[in-house]
Amino acid sequence: MQFEWKGVFPAITTQFTADDQLDLQMFEKNLYAQLEAGIHGVILGGTLGESSTLTREEKEILIRFTKEKVAGRIPVILNIAEGATKAAVNEAQWAEQLGVDGLMLLPPMRYKADDRETVQFFSTVARSVSLPILIYNNPVDYRIMVTPDMFAQLTDCANIQAVKDSTRDVSNVTRMINRFGNRYRILCGVDPIAMESLLMGASGWVGGLVNAFPRETVLLYHLVQSRQIDKALQVHRWFLPLLELDLSPKLVQYIKLAASITGIGAEYVRPPRLPLVGEERQQILSLIQKAMTAEPAWMRDLQVLQETAAALHS
């Protein structure tokens, strides 16, 4: 599939049953809610997908199931997060054989590679496949900063096409555009600064809270990109307390709780993660319920969503 790194790409949650099996029925419900909202691609097996706890067999089930359900409407992207270059190459080639449409590629896990080692890791994986690749730049959580100088060394890898920028530095969008123009598409990877990043020239958003609030996420994207800034600010200001849940080490539990409240997900997580309990659960639940009560009705209107999509493409 030919596609652009442009739009809203949910880092979709992996749904589990109470006895820790894949819950494909709930996964499908969540996926369809996001498709109905107009997402532009889907990323399997990211942090929100609890990648490190999934077996290869489970990943294959999710890939095949998602490909079947989306039926070519949007690209299906698989996250690659491995500690060894050889393992990352094997996963990337295996994913390509299964028919994924692109890869999100993290730097080496567990070992803090230096700049030379990181560039070699990315370029080796990229050259092993023909799939388009989104580099995940998240120095806060993964300790490795992919700098503009490192991206300069990767320009020869034509299939490295985009970056998920989770540096939490909005100015990095401008820094990359000033250095590379349109060579790399930039997707914001931090929910609370998605609006700012889009205004600065990011072409897309790898979303977290979209798992619970797909219409609102896609609406915000449409409004910003069509420069309906006053309306975009209304959505952003309402949405921000929820978007900030994406910054927590417990973002999986928080976002799954939110999705359970909006009716398109379940709270079950895979150990060592555990569902929220006690005061912590009550605090997050209160925040979610307060936001839902305060949400203006026009933001939930499907017709408004469709009109903003039309304005974006007019």
Side-chain angles (χ1 to χ4, degrees):
M1 175 190 289
Q2 297 294 318
F3 68 93
E4 291 188 77
W5 293 101
K6 182 178 180 180
V8 175
F9 285 69
I12 196 167
T13 55
T14 302
Q15 294 293 309
F16 299 110
T17 63
D19 60 350
D20 198 31
Q21 303 299 310
L22 292 181
D23 186 345
L24 294 178
Q25 183 176 359
M26 184 59 79
F27 179 86
E28 180 179 12
K29 184 175 185 179
N30 185 274
L31 178 63
Y32 277 171
Q34 296 185 55
L35 289 169
E36 182 183 31
I39 60 168
H40 304 85
V42 62
I43 299 175
L44 300 173
T47 301
L48 275 169
E50 298 174 70
S51 172
S52 63
T53 71
L54 297 176
T55 66
R56 179 180 266 205
E57 179 184 8
E58 288 173 327
K59 290 179 183 178
E60 180 171 347
I61 290 170
L62 289 170
I63 291 167
R64 293 188 185 279
F65 187 84
T66 305
K67 290 285 291 183
E68 177 188 347
K69 297 304 176 182
V70 306
R73 286 174 285 178
I74 58 170
V76 175
I77 314 301
L78 181 69
N79 180 53
I80 303 290
E82 298 292 336
T85 304
K86 183 177 181 179
V89 166
N90 287 341
E91 287 296 297
Q93 292 176 339
W94 168 77
E96 185 168 32
Q97 291 169 3
L98 282 178
V100 303
D101 302 301
L103 301 174
M104 183 169 76
L105 181 59
L106 274 73
M109 297 288 96
R110 291 177 288 279
Y111 170 64
K112 188 179 183 301
D114 65 20
D115 291 4
R116 180 175 64 95
E117 292 168 329
T118 302
V119 168
Q120 182 68 37
F121 176 87
F122 286 146
S123 61
T124 300
V125 177
R127 291 190 173 105
S128 74
V129 293
S130 62
L131 294 172
I133 291 174
L134 172 75
I135 297 293
Y136 188 2
N137 191 10
N138 186 348
V140 177
D141 292 325
Y142 300 120
R143 303 185 300 155
I144 294 174
M145 173 72 174
V146 190
T147 66
D149 285 346
M150 294 163 72
F151 277 109
Q153 297 175 63
L154 292 167
T155 55
D156 289 342
C157 297
N159 59 329
I160 296 181
Q161 299 177 354
V163 53
K164 175 185 174 183
D165 193 303
S166 295
T167 60
R168 307 189 188 184
D169 179 0
V170 175
S171 67
N172 206 43
V173 176
T174 302
R175 195 170 294 114
M176 288 289 289
I177 292 172
N178 284 349
R179 181 81 176 263
F180 301 107
N182 289 325
R183 168 60 184 84
Y184 296 108
R185 292 291 184 176
I186 303 165
L187 283 71
C188 178
V190 182
D191 277 0
I193 58 172
M195 179 171 176
E196 293 89 339
S197 297
L198 291 166
L199 285 169
M200 290 299 102
S203 64
W205 176 3
V206 177
L209 268 297
V210 66
N211 283 282
F213 298 93
R215 290 188 181 183
E216 293 85 346
T217 304
V218 174
L219 176 63
L220 180 55
Y221 171 79
H222 287 167
L223 290 171
V224 174
Q225 296 300 71
S226 60
R227 291 303 186 258
Q228 299 181 62
I229 303 305
D230 288 344
K231 284 187 176 180
L233 283 170
Q234 291 181 52
V235 178
H236 175 69
R237 288 168 178 163
W238 165 80
F239 213 174
L240 185 60
L242 293 166
L243 296 177
E244 288 177 333
L245 297 176
D246 185 55
L247 295 177
S248 169
K250 290 190 177 179
L251 77 164
V252 177
Q253 290 94 320
Y254 292 174
I255 291 171
K256 280 192 166 183
L257 176 59
S260 74
I261 299 303
T262 59
I264 58 173
E267 283 188 72
Y268 301 118
V269 289
R270 175 163 283 177
R273 288 184 178 88
L274 295 174
L276 301 175
V277 294
E279 184 178 350
E280 181 183 22
R281 185 179 187 278
Q282 189 54 47
Q283 287 177 346
I284 301 303
L285 191 58
S286 177
L287 185 154
I288 295 165
Q289 291 172 333
K290 181 179 179 181
M292 291 178 66
T293 300
E295 182 178 4
W298 70 269
M299 293 184 193
R300 298 190 297 270
D301 190 328
L302 183 58
Q303 183 176 347
V304 171
L305 186 62
Q306 293 168 340
E307 288 172 354
T308 60
L312 182 60
H313 294 102
S314 63

